[in-house]
Amino acid sequence: AVEVVESGGDSVQVGGSLELTCKTRGFTFGSFCLGWFRQAAGQERERVALIDSYDNATYSDSVKGRFTISKNRDKGIGFLQMSNTLPEDTAMYYCVVPRDNYDYRCSNLGTWGQGTLVTVSS
C-alpha cells in the first residue's frame, strides 16, 4: 500500500517561516498528484495547495503569495514552504497522494498521512 508521512510542523511567531515535508513510499512520486490540506480546530478540512504530475501548482486564495508547494521527483518527497505566516494558518497539515499507483490524477487523491501540527502565535 502507498504510505505517506508528514513532518516539519512546529510553533512559530506571526510572520515566521516553516517547511513541511511529505515522504512517500509505494508509488512513483513524480508521476502522481500531491496535495496539502489543513484542518483547524472546529473547522472543516481545507485544501491548501496541489501540484500535479506536470508540476503545475494551484493554491487556495488564503495562502497565495505566502506558501509554495514543490516536489523532488528523484526522492519522492513533497514540500510546503510556508512564509509570512498568520494565526489563521494554525492547523493540522496533511499530505495526500492518489489512493493507488494506477490512477495518478488529482481526482484520485485518497492516501493520507497522519498530519503535522503547525501553530502560529500572535
Side-chain angles (χ1 to χ4, degrees):
V2 177
E3 182 179 328
V4 177
V5 179
E6 306 96 333
S7 62
D10 205 349
S11 297
V12 297
Q13 296 292 114
V14 170
S17 298
L18 285 173
E19 185 177 69
L20 308 184
T21 299
C22 176
K23 296 185 178 181
T24 68
R25 292 181 174 84
F27 73 104
T28 303
F29 176 81
S31 299
F32 283 75
C33 175
L34 180 145
W36 286 97
F37 287 66
R38 66 187 182 187
Q39 186 166 24
Q43 303 294 319
E44 65 181 18
R45 188 173 60 191
E46 173 191 21
R47 185 170 64 191
V48 175
L50 292 173
I51 184 165
D52 66 19
S53 60
Y54 303 103
D55 290 336
N56 299 129
T58 57
Y59 299 91
S60 167
D61 287 342
S62 63
V63 306
K64 285 180 180 177
R66 301 189 299 115
F67 293 5
T68 301
I69 187 171
S70 62
K71 62 185 179 184
N72 184 311
R73 296 178 66 91
D74 293 332
K75 298 182 178 180
I77 301 174
F79 304 94
L80 184 70
Q81 178 65 49
M82 305 170 61
S83 300
N84 301 313
T85 54
L86 300 169
E88 47 264 50
D89 294 324
T90 296
M92 187 72 74
Y93 283 73
Y94 299 92
C95 180
V96 61
V97 298
R99 65 182 68 249
D100 56 51
N101 200 36
Y102 303 100
D103 187 348
Y104 64 89
R105 296 172 295 177
C106 292
S107 60
N108 194 39
L109 294 175
T111 300
W112 299 85
Q114 292 292 329
T116 187
L117 181 63
V118 173
T119 301
V120 182
S121 61
S122 59

